[in-house]
Amino acid sequence: MKKLLLKTLPIVLTAIVLQILLYSTPYRPQIFDSVKEFETELSKGSDTLIFGDSVTLLYARDDQDKRTLGEMIQARLAPKKVSVFAHEGRHMGVYRSYVKYLSDNPHSIRQVLVPVNIRTFSTYMDRRPGFEFNIERSVMEWGSHPIAKSFLFPLMVFKGIAQDTITQKEYDHLPVYHGSQRIGEMGDYSHSRFLAYTDDNARNLLISNYLEPISAEHRRVKDISTLVELCQSKGIVPLFYFTPLDYMEGERLIGEEFATQIKANLDVIKKVLVGHGVKSLDLSFTLPTDHFMWKDHTYLNEHLNQKGRLALSETLAGYLTQDSSLGSM
Amino acid sequence: MTFNSLHFLIFFPLVVLVYFLIPHRLRWLHLLLASCYFYMALIPLYVLILFFTILIDYVGGILIENSEGTKRKAFLFLSLVSNLGILVVFKYYAFLTANVSSLLGAFGISWEFPGWSIMLPIGLSFHTFQAMSYTIEVYRGNQKAERHLGIYALYVMFFPQLVAGPIERPQNLLHQFHEEHFFDYTRAVSGLRLMLLGLLQKVYLADRLAVYVNQVYQSPHDYNSTALFTATLAFTFQIYCDFSGYSNIALGAARVIGFTLMRNFNSPYLARSIPEFWKRWHISLSTWFRDYVYYPLGGNRVSGLKRIRNIFIVFLLSGFWHGANWTYVLWGLAHAFYYLIGMILPRPKSSPLVAVFETLYTFALVSLSWVFFRANTVSDAFYILKSILFELPLSAFSPAAFRGPGLWVPFIGLFGLFLLEVARPRMQLTSLFQRCPLWIRWGGYVAALLLLWNAGVINAIPFVYFQF
């Protein structure tokens, strides 16, 4: 057996060296596209980076102004250059990975604007297959390491890194909570997003999106701490804002407990931010229901319409300008 | 656990290392525990189903051996019914009840069977058939009943062939668990080489081909006849690389620890007739049906009509074995028809040109039958066949059809595999390779590793035959 080990070792080592050499060339498989895209954004030379998800990205069909929130902020802050990274379904874990990439590479970013979309902390979003983005996250976190980056792709091919940690079937059986009470399984609630807008379907979504209590031990809450620490270690200023939600619809469909549970969850996160001495702007209960659209995409959800994006972009542009520790921009 | 996972790449060397470090008397236990772990890494609870069949067949084997006449037959019957019962409950219940409901509906009778939504235990058809071959062989007196429950459990659960075969016979495998195996460098290298080839077949060829095949077969009506033809051809190679890749890894893994499993594939696409194809494709299953169904029905030694009946029974069962879906039944039927036509048609005098024509003709027939095997529904299958047979333009045969969907990458590898398979019966490839200078041999291994690491796809489907 010793002979086999002694003969296998140089073969494997040679392959490892060649693999590392291969990745020292410009060759990259498709999984590295997120790096390319992010690098393009960073190459603008801006000092501000805005993260975002579908709430800020999508628009209503009858919107006159179809610009994304990021584009609206960029226009308000022009001629100053602002980089935007926004994709559907992204959450605090993904932002953390992008900030890790920032901390590993040279760039001009000095402040990042991070949305805290409280529904991405729900089991509904956080555990949903296809929404953990483990591959994208691994590439961003390890893609700058000279050796690790060479083996990310093989690791993914051999299922050492999986896009999701659970299957759709397992997800469908996860519990849904209404406050502390377990009221059913995810499969009974999550399918509502593919149905027509009715009070029942919207209520199901709001319950599964917002009414599960979260704790400081939640993995996405911990991601906030890591993100802040990474920023602070590299002299980047993290600015957080809590994204607006359709609280009026929530109160209409669920009652006062809707706001009560959300506020309790927001407090958990605010406490963490305060603990790190980081500023945040709570916009959760600021926009009335006519600033949202629910039905304009392939799935039901409360996304901002033109009115909502314009209002939010104005607030955020002001936040970046006035409250920034970088001073007036 | 699947062979193409990091989990297995860590698990396997550890199992081998411990196997050769511990004394022989403990090795069965080590392999059994490793096999349990291997199986339970998928869905832990399903190991209980395996334990249940193991207990039944273990006791069944002893009872059969100790009895005679009708009693002996009754014990065999009970064992077979238990095995098939489990198969029916887990694999065919939904299919059977849905079809019975539809049939009753046609007569105006509304009847709903209780729902049974459960995932099919991985490899159920494989280990059930292997277990059945044990009790049948004990009944026939070809195999002594195994008295050691652990060894018998290992016969059913031996991890290299637990979830997708080869479906072993007790005469070939059981005695090997009693024998002491010593580490053999040459044997281990040859096993590892086979595993490497199998992994390349799966990761580089099958998984890459599957990307295009899945896309087209998911919604065939969205694609033209060229795409349907290309996807069908791609599936023909995908299923071969996937399944023979699995078998190679299984044979290789077993070989490293000193076991010999039966060969499951022998260049099937080089067959010159359908009967020859079945002697080369999934050999462990086709010989199972031959030995336990076809021969007991009379085989070839019966009248023409009965022989036709026997052929249809075997192929229908083979189709049904693959899955509870009419598409598999039609696939089996198609092969039964091919087989009969091959029996009726006179074969031309052999010449190199005729050999090439026969090989291509057989390959075309087999490829067309795969449409039933892969299509999601029977109507999809007929749509694809109609499109390929009646609407295919000549441009479908141009290289552009393969360049477009990016199939040229795996097709380069397939060409290499084709050369390997053509050369295999003509020359001693292994000894030829061993005679090469060190830098060529090691260079080959390094290149294979690099290909394995870089030519695969992410989120690839599991081995196709896992679902059976």
Side-chain angles (χ1 to χ4, degrees):
Chain A
M1 212 181 307
K2 197 174 162 190
K3 184 179 167 190
L4 180 71
L5 285 174
L6 286 175
K7 288 204 170 184
T8 312
L9 206 64
I11 293 171
V12 174
L13 283 176
T14 312
I16 288 173
V17 170
L18 287 175
Q19 179 77 359
I20 294 167
L21 284 175
L22 178 70
Y23 274 77
S24 63
T25 68
Y27 165 79
R28 293 287 181 277
Q30 209 176 356
I31 54 160
F32 283 84
D33 284 358
S34 50
V35 172
K36 264 190 229 167
E37 190 194 340
F38 197 47
E39 277 294 341
T40 308
E41 243 351 270
L42 296 180
S43 66
K44 287 178 181 169
S46 46
D47 60 15
T48 301
L49 171 67
I50 299 174
F51 285 123
D53 60 11
S54 61
V55 176
T56 57
L57 196 65
L58 299 180
Y59 52 81
R61 242 174 259 138
D62 54 357
D63 280 353
Q64 296 292 312
D65 187 344
K66 290 186 168 27
R67 286 177 303 163
T68 63
L69 179 84
E71 288 164 346
M72 286 178 173
I73 298 174
Q74 281 173 325
R76 285 181 191 279
L77 296 179
K80 181 174 179 52
K81 285 178 194 157
V82 172
S83 294
V84 176
F85 171 81
H87 281 292
E88 285 183 67
R90 300 312 194 266
H91 48 70
M92 204 55 74
V94 179
Y95 304 143
R96 187 196 89 163
S97 304
Y98 277 79
V99 169
K100 170 79 170 62
Y101 182 87
L102 284 181
S103 71
D104 290 339
N105 291 280
H107 56 82
S108 56
I109 301 297
R110 296 192 61 202
Q111 63 176 1
V112 287
L113 181 64
V114 187
V116 182
N117 180 351
I118 195 68
R119 73 167 174 255
T120 62
F121 292 72
S122 65
T123 301
Y124 168 87
M125 282 287 291
D126 184 37
R127 303 296 308 278
R128 200 158 116 200
F131 281 74
E132 290 187 74
F133 304 102
N134 288 329
I135 288 179
E136 181 179 336
R137 293 189 57 196
S138 307
V139 168
M140 296 313 295
E141 294 207 13
W142 295 99
S144 312
H145 192 282
I147 294 173
K149 72 178 174 194
S150 317
F151 292 94
L152 282 175
F153 186 73
L155 268 176
M156 287 165 192
V157 168
F158 284 93
K159 299 162 184 39
I161 299 170
Q163 178 74 315
D164 303 307
T165 51
I166 59 170
T167 63
Q168 184 66 43
K169 200 165 180 152
E170 288 165 335
Y171 173 78
D172 286 343
H173 289 302
L174 290 176
V176 173
Y177 288 92
H178 188 149
S180 57
Q181 199 186 344
R182 184 182 169 150
I183 54 163
E185 290 190 343
M186 197 55 77
D188 304 326
Y189 285 79
S190 61
H191 75 283
S192 296
R193 71 176 178 273
F194 298 117
L195 303 176
Y197 184 91
T198 62
D199 281 0
D200 276 344
N201 290 334
R203 187 183 297 115
N204 276 348
L205 268 182
L206 289 170
I207 289 171
S208 53
N209 275 211
Y210 293 111
L211 295 190
E212 178 181 345
I214 62 167
S215 74
E217 295 308 307
H218 192 293
R219 60 177 177 171
R220 299 293 164 237
V221 179
K222 286 182 173 174
D223 283 333
I224 294 180
S225 292
T226 314
L227 186 152
V228 171
E229 283 156 15
L230 281 168
C231 279
Q232 289 173 340
S233 69
K234 295 287 171 179
I236 302 168
V237 178
L239 296 169
F240 289 83
Y241 73 99
F242 293 83
T243 57
L245 47 99
D246 194 353
Y247 69 97
M248 286 183 171
E249 193 70 341
E251 281 177 5
R252 183 180 76 79
L253 293 169
I254 292 169
E256 277 179 18
E257 54 194 310
F258 179 74
T260 313
Q261 184 59 59
I262 289 174
K263 282 175 183 162
N265 287 346
L266 294 178
D267 283 343
V268 172
I269 296 169
K270 284 176 185 170
K271 217 177 256 179
V272 172
L273 292 173
V274 169
H276 285 287
V278 171
K279 283 179 189 171
S280 67
L281 184 63
D282 187 358
L283 303 173
S284 312
F285 297 90
T286 53
L287 297 184
T289 205
D290 65 343
H291 283 58
F292 295 88
M293 51 106 177
W294 276 79
K295 320 165 211 179
D296 273 13
H297 288 276
T298 49
Y299 56 94
L300 271 189
N301 228 326
E302 37 164 347
H303 293 119
L304 292 171
N305 60 19
Q306 177 183 324
K307 216 169 172 182
R309 292 195 310 283
L310 281 171
L312 185 60
S313 65
E314 188 179 353
T315 311
L316 291 178
Y319 182 43
L320 284 169
T321 315
Q322 292 156 19
D323 288 347
S324 165
S325 59
L326 293 177
S328 174
M329 294 184 285
Chain B
M1 191 185 310
T2 57
F3 286 157
N4 56 336
S5 67
L6 184 67
H7 200 167
F8 180 75
L9 298 181
I10 296 167
F11 164 87
F12 181 66
L14 285 176
V15 169
V16 175
L17 194 71
V18 175
Y19 181 80
F20 287 110
L21 285 177
I22 59 176
H24 171 61
R25 64 191 161 80
L26 292 177
R27 285 180 179 173
W28 70 269
L29 183 63
H30 166 62
L31 283 184
L32 185 61
L33 290 175
S35 299
C36 284
Y37 178 77
F38 179 88
Y39 192 73
M40 290 170 76
L42 295 163
I43 301 173
L45 207 61
Y46 282 174
V47 81
L48 296 177
I49 300 166
L50 260 174
F51 289 161
F52 180 69
T53 52
I54 286 167
L55 265 181
I56 283 187
D57 293 320
Y58 169 74
V59 175
I62 294 171
L63 290 175
I64 290 168
E65 193 176 64
N66 290 342
S67 50
E68 283 180 359
T70 13
K71 235 178 160 185
R72 190 176 170 95
K73 205 173 259 182
F75 285 133
L76 173 70
F77 179 76
L78 277 176
S79 155
L80 295 182
V81 164
S82 310
N83 282 297
L84 291 172
I86 290 168
L87 205 57
V88 168
V89 167
F90 283 96
K91 190 164 177 172
Y92 300 109
Y93 178 82
F95 175 77
L96 292 174
T97 53
N99 280 287
V100 171
S101 285
S102 312
L103 195 68
L104 291 174
F107 292 102
I109 306 164
S110 167
W111 183 272
E112 272 204 26
F113 289 90
W116 174 248
S117 160
I118 191 159
M119 245 173 86
L120 179 69
I122 306 280
L124 182 67
S125 303
F126 285 94
H127 52 74
T128 304
F129 267 44
Q130 184 157 319
M132 287 192 332
S133 91
Y134 166 76
T135 46
I136 295 171
E137 291 298 340
V138 172
Y139 173 80
R140 288 178 175 178
N142 297 331
Q143 173 67 43
K144 288 194 89 175
E146 176 59 59
R147 265 28 192 203
H148 192 305
L149 177 61
I151 297 277
Y152 176 70
L154 196 50
Y155 162 73
V156 178
M157 293 193 70
F158 188 39
F159 74 85
Q161 41 92 244
L162 170 60
V163 288
I167 304 166
E168 277 295 346
R169 303 304 143 79
Q171 298 96 312
N172 180 38
L173 187 59
L174 255 174
H175 68 92
Q176 296 189 52
F177 294 118
H178 291 282
E179 291 158 7
E180 185 167 2
H181 302 278
F182 298 96
F183 183 79
D184 178 340
Y185 171 78
T186 316
R187 193 185 168 91
V189 169
S190 125
L192 288 174
R193 207 185 292 133
L194 203 53
M195 289 177 82
L196 192 58
L197 175 67
L199 278 171
L200 279 172
Q201 281 178 280
K202 168 65 178 160
V203 174
Y204 165 41
L205 300 176
D207 288 349
R208 273 191 166 264
L209 292 166
V211 174
Y212 184 64
V213 174
N214 293 346
Q215 187 189 327
V216 174
Y217 268 77
Q218 193 56 40
S219 49
H221 293 269
D222 296 343
Y223 293 88
N224 63 20
S225 53
T226 305
L228 294 171
F229 163 77
T230 311
T232 300
L233 190 61
F235 182 68
T236 302
F237 290 116
Q238 180 207 329
I239 185 107
Y240 173 56
C241 291
D242 193 287
F243 194 21
S244 74
Y246 177 90
S247 297
N248 280 335
I249 302 169
L251 261 72
R255 196 179 288 175
V256 171
I257 39 180
F259 289 81
T260 307
L261 298 181
M262 72 185 289
R263 192 174 179 188
N264 221 8
F265 290 89
N266 181 17
S267 308
Y269 291 152
L270 297 180
R272 288 169 59 183
S273 66
I274 292 297
E276 191 190 340
F277 171 79
W278 280 104
K279 282 178 188 151
R280 291 161 168 257
W281 177 275
H282 201 174
I283 298 165
S284 65
L285 180 70
S286 48
T287 52
W288 196 99
F289 277 116
R290 183 197 65 196
D291 296 344
Y292 303 128
V293 181
Y294 188 68
Y295 285 169
L297 285 171
N300 297 341
R301 294 174 185 173
V302 284
S303 67
L305 272 179
K306 276 191 174 168
R307 193 176 168 202
I308 292 170
R309 178 205 65 183
N310 295 349
I311 288 168
F312 268 92
I313 288 174
V314 165
F315 279 108
L316 271 176
L317 285 177
S318 172
F320 211 46
W321 178 89
H322 282 86
N325 196 321
W326 286 111
T327 50
Y328 294 116
V329 176
L330 285 172
W331 172 75
L333 269 178
H335 275 276
F337 275 112
Y338 290 165
Y339 207 98
L340 288 177
I341 291 166
M343 272 167 58
I344 295 163
L345 287 179
R347 287 190 75 174
K349 221 175 156 187
S350 191
S351 76
L353 201 67
V354 167
V356 171
F357 172 77
E358 283 183 333
T359 307
L360 287 175
Y361 169 73
T362 306
F363 177 78
L365 288 180
V366 171
S367 302
L368 284 176
S369 73
W370 287 128
V371 171
F372 289 113
F373 196 93
R374 177 60 185 83
N376 291 335
T377 62
V378 172
S379 66
D380 274 4
F382 280 113
Y383 172 80
I384 294 166
L385 280 176
K386 191 184 107 206
S387 193
I388 290 176
L389 292 172
F390 302 112
E391 295 162 18
L392 194 66
L394 272 178
S395 60
F397 299 93
S398 72
F402 302 95
R403 268 203 308 273
L407 291 175
W408 61 272
V409 179
F411 269 83
I412 291 172
L414 283 173
F415 184 66
L417 192 64
F418 168 75
L419 292 180
L420 205 70
E421 302 225 328
V422 168
R424 192 156 49 194
R426 288 166 182 77
M427 40 184 123
Q428 291 291 322
L429 287 179
T430 310
S431 55
L432 200 73
F433 183 72
Q434 277 162 349
R435 283 202 300 272
C436 286
L438 186 81
W439 67 269
I440 291 187
R441 277 183 287 134
W442 284 27
Y445 294 134
V446 169
L449 280 178
L450 288 173
L451 200 58
L452 207 55
W453 291 345
N454 297 294
V457 292
I458 295 171
N459 294 330
I461 55 162
F463 286 94
V464 175
Y465 267 70
F466 267 29
Q467 60 185 306
F468 307 136

